[in-house]
Amino acid sequence: MKVFNTYTRRKEEFIPVAPGCVRMYNCGPTVYNYATIGNFRAYVFADVLRRTLEYFGYAVTQVVNITDVGHMTSDADEGEDKMAKAAREQKKDPWQVAAFYTEAFFRDIAALNIRPAQEYPRATAHVPEMIAIIERLIAQGHAYVVNGNVYYDVSTFPGYGALSGNTLDQLNAGARIEINPEKRHPQDFALWKQDARHVMQWDSPWGRGFPGWHIECSAMSVKYLGEQFDIHTGGEDNIFPHHECEIAQTEGATGKRPWVKYWMHTRFLLVNGQKMSKSLGNFFTLRDLTEKGLDPMAIRYVLMSTHYRQPLNFTLESVEAGREAIRRLKDFRTRLGEASAAQDNPALEEALEAGRRGFEAGLSDDLNTSAALAALYDMVREVNKLTLSRADAQRALALLERFDSVMGVLSGSEESLDAEIERLIQERLDARKRRDFKTSDRIRDDLKARGILLEDSAGGTRWKRA
Ligand code: AMP
Ligand code: ZN
C-alpha cells in the first residue's frame, strides 16, 4: 500500500513501525459546537483509512482527541479560548458545553457508521501529562518562561517548518507587527498561558493557567501510542501551525525522530469553492441535513467516495447521487439473494477476481476510493450479466460484504447503533465517576426513550432492547 506523506510530499510504501500493527492518531473535534460536515470529511477519511488497513490485515490502534480547552479563536495564540467563548455566549460553564457537544459528536460519528476509536482522550483530563512534557522542553532549552507564560523557542528546533514548507525566514518576513513582547521570536508559540479571566485553570509549576492547544496532541498521542508511531491525520488546515508545532514539541522533548512516520491530510470540504467552516458561517451540521430527511449513509457515501486529496464541493445533489449509488448496490444485493440457477457459472470467478483486484489496487494507491468504487461498479455490471446459482451468489455477496467493511455504507445502521450504545454507556460511566449525575441520568433517559434499557451491577453495565 502506498500513502502520500505530507512530510516528504510524495507517495511512499506504507511500512509500519512494528510489523502487522498500525498506531494512528487523528486530530479530533473542538467541542464548542456541533461538528460540521466539513469536519466529518476529515473523520470519515480517518475511518476509511483505518478500515482499509484492517481490510489488509493490520491490527489498528486508533486514538482521536477531544479538544475541550486551549484552542483559541485564531489558530495562532491569539483571541479567546473557543470553549470559554461558547460558554459565555451560551450562558453555561465550559464543562457543560464540552460534555454536551462531545456526546453530540459521538452520536454523529455513530450515525455516519464511523468505527469507534480505542481511545478518545480529553485535553482537560491530561493536563499533568502536558505539564510533564513542558517541563522536559524547558529542561532541554526548547522552552522559556516569562511572567507565568511558557513559550516554545522555535529557533532551537532546526526542523521547524519541514512539514508545512514554511521556513522561519519566510514566516518572519510575513509576520504581522509583533503583538506579544514576551516572545523571543514572532513564531514562538505558547505551551502554557496565564489569563486570570479564563474560566478553566490548573495549578502548574509556573502558576495557575491553562495549556496551549498544540501541546495536548503531543501529550496524549505519546501517552496512548508511544514516542514513535505510524500515522497522524487531520484536515489540511492542521498542517500549519498545529502539526508543525506538535512535531517541534514531541521531537524536542523525546529527542526521537521521526515521531510520526506518515502525515496524512484531508483536503477541505468546500461550499461554492470556499472551505466549509463555522467561522465563515457556510456550514451544515449532520443534524441540519438529517432534519431535511437526508440519510446519513448517503452523506457518508459522498464524503468517502471522493479521493481525500481532491477538493470536494458539497451539494445536496451529491447527497442525492450518494443515495442513488447505495440503492444500486442494495438492488444488486437483492438480486443476488434471488439467484437460483441449478449450475454454477464458471464466468463468475473472473468477474469477482477482477473486481477484487481493482478495488484493492484503488485502495492501495493512497486510498483512491473513487478508483476502488469504479472497480466495484464494473464488477456489478459484469456479474449482473451472469446467470448464477445460490452458491455463486453467496460468493459474490461475501465479496460485497468485504468491500463494505471499508465503504461502510450498506450495513451501516445495525453496526453503528450497537457501537453508539456501547459508547454512550461508557460516557455515562465516565460522567458518574466525575459525579456528574445530571449527564449520566440524561444519557440513561435518552437511551430509554430509544428503547434501550440499562442494568447496572457490580460487574458493569449491561443493556437490552425493551
Ligand atoms: P476543529 O473542530 O476545528 O478542531 O476541526 C476538527 C478537524 O476537522 C480538523 O482536523 C480540521 O482540519 C478538520 N476540518 C475543518 N474544516 C474542514 C473542512 N471544511 N474540510 C475538511 N476538514 C475540515
Ligand atoms: Zn491535534
Side-chain angles (χ1 to χ4, degrees):
M1 183 174 173
K2 285 198 155 65
V3 296
F4 184 88
N5 186 352
T6 309
Y7 196 91
T8 57
R9 293 167 189 72
R10 54 185 175 81
K11 276 190 209 172
E12 292 176 23
E13 192 62 36
F14 178 72
I15 305 165
V17 178
C21 303
V22 178
R23 285 167 294 155
M24 168 162 88
Y25 187 88
N26 313 126
C27 277
T30 307
V31 283
Y32 68 108
N33 207 328
Y34 291 112
T36 71
I37 300 296
N39 300 133
F40 285 116
R41 184 179 195 196
Y43 310 138
V44 167
F45 158 69
D47 180 59
V48 173
L49 176 58
R50 174 220 174 133
R51 286 166 173 265
T52 298
L53 291 163
E54 289 176 342
Y55 177 101
F56 286 130
Y58 293 106
V60 182
T61 309
Q62 183 186 17
V63 175
V64 178
N65 65 299
I66 303 287
T67 300
D68 53 1
V69 69
H71 194 174
M72 309 308 273
T73 44
S74 128
D75 272 3
D77 297 330
E78 297 133 42
E80 190 178 359
D81 188 314
K82 290 185 182 189
M83 296 304 307
K85 180 165 183 270
R88 186 167 48 71
E89 287 168 357
Q90 296 171 28
K91 300 194 171 43
K92 294 198 177 113
D93 76 52
W95 308 94
Q96 288 171 311
V97 172
F100 181 85
Y101 289 111
T102 303
E103 221 180 293
F105 170 72
F106 287 131
R107 268 177 205 242
D108 286 354
I109 59 173
L112 287 168
N113 199 20
I114 290 175
R115 284 190 181 153
Q118 277 81 353
E119 298 285 349
Y120 290 101
R122 286 178 297 122
T124 51
H126 293 80
V127 173
E129 286 86 344
M130 296 187 225
I131 291 175
I133 291 210
I134 298 171
E135 287 186 304
R136 273 167 93 177
L137 289 169
I138 295 173
Q140 288 168 59
H142 286 300
Y144 55 94
V145 187
V146 187
N147 301 327
N149 296 308
V150 187
Y151 298 99
Y152 192 102
D153 180 341
V154 290
S155 71
T156 64
F157 189 76
Y160 191 81
L163 177 72
S164 60
N166 295 325
T167 64
L168 280 179
D169 286 345
Q170 284 166 354
L171 286 168
N172 291 343
R176 286 173 289 158
I177 10 143
E178 180 52 35
I179 340 160
N180 184 342
E182 290 184 353
K183 291 184 184 179
R184 290 183 190 162
H185 315 94
Q187 300 307 324
D188 290 355
F189 56 90
L191 299 168
W192 187 264
K193 296 192 234 191
Q194 279 206 1
D195 180 351
R197 288 162 307 177
H198 198 302
V199 276
M200 299 165 109
Q201 305 257 0
W202 290 263
D203 287 325
S204 82
W206 319 287
R208 276 183 81 69
F210 66 100
W213 172 37
H214 316 305
I215 196 68
E216 67 170 272
C217 288
S218 292
M220 299 194 293
S221 66
V222 165
K223 172 166 180 178
Y224 294 99
L225 296 173
E227 292 187 346
Q228 293 184 289
F229 57 88
D230 302 289
I231 302 176
H232 194 316
T233 75
E236 59 179 311
D237 56 340
N238 284 160
I239 298 173
F240 189 86
H242 187 48
H243 290 165
E244 196 71 74
C245 296
E246 286 185 26
I247 295 175
Q249 292 166 162
T250 321
E251 295 186 358
T254 66
K256 291 186 188 154
R257 298 200 51 228
W259 163 46
V260 169
K261 204 165 172 197
Y262 305 96
W263 286 92
M264 298 177 76
H265 292 98
T266 319
R267 294 288 301 272
F268 287 141
L269 184 70
L270 307 174
V271 182
N272 298 323
Q274 268 194 313
K275 174 190 178 188
M276 179 183 285
S277 80
K278 285 168 208 158
S279 48
L280 292 173
N282 61 348
F283 63 91
F284 293 112
T285 64
L286 184 61
R287 56 211 67 214
D288 291 336
L289 297 176
T290 50
E291 276 163 17
K292 285 186 206 277
L294 300 182
D295 178 0
M297 285 302 95
I299 296 164
R300 177 179 170 98
Y301 189 96
V302 174
L303 299 177
M304 150 312 268
S305 56
T306 298
H307 184 227
Y308 73 99
R309 287 194 297 114
Q310 294 292 322
L312 170 56
N313 202 38
F314 186 80
T315 60
L316 295 181
E317 291 76 49
S318 63
V319 181
E320 181 52 31
R323 195 180 66 90
E324 185 56 27
I326 294 173
R327 194 186 57 74
R328 282 208 310 276
L329 291 173
K330 288 191 168 163
D331 284 351
F332 175 61
R333 197 166 63 176
T334 308
R335 268 196 308 282
L336 288 172
E338 290 160 357
S340 62
Q343 297 281 317
D344 290 353
N345 192 327
L348 179 68
E349 185 58 35
E350 178 44 33
L352 295 186
E353 196 42 35
R356 192 188 59 74
R357 272 197 311 270
F359 189 80
E360 293 180 3
L363 293 179
S364 310
D365 180 17
D366 187 33
L367 225 70
N368 190 337
T369 44
S370 50
L373 289 170
L376 164 61
Y377 291 122
D378 285 346
M379 181 184 94
V380 168
R381 214 168 306 117
E382 289 309 309
V383 172
N384 273 337
K385 289 180 195 157
L386 305 175
T387 309
L388 302 179
S389 68
R390 283 182 71 117
D392 287 336
Q394 284 311 318
R395 282 160 58 216
L397 281 168
L399 188 60
L400 182 64
E401 204 171 293
R402 231 174 111 54
F403 290 173
D404 195 50
S405 73
V406 176
M407 303 184 293
V409 291
L410 296 179
S411 60
S413 29
E414 310 98 64
E415 199 185 308
S416 65
L417 189 63
D418 287 6
E420 186 195 357
I421 293 167
E422 298 291 346
R423 184 70 248 155
L424 285 169
I425 289 175
Q426 190 53 48
E427 273 289 291
R428 176 168 166 269
L429 285 177
D430 292 346
R432 283 166 47 147
K433 268 193 221 136
R434 301 195 297 273
R435 309 192 61 77
D436 175 1
F437 297 113
K438 233 170 108 184
T439 302
S440 73
D441 289 349
R442 189 179 66 238
I443 295 173
R444 192 199 51 223
D445 295 344
D446 279 2
L447 284 169
K448 192 166 162 207
R450 294 153 73 191
I452 306 298
L453 299 181
L454 302 185
E455 278 171 27
D456 293 316
S457 70
T461 302
R462 299 193 334 174
W463 62 273
K464 60 175 192 210
R465 296 202 155 83

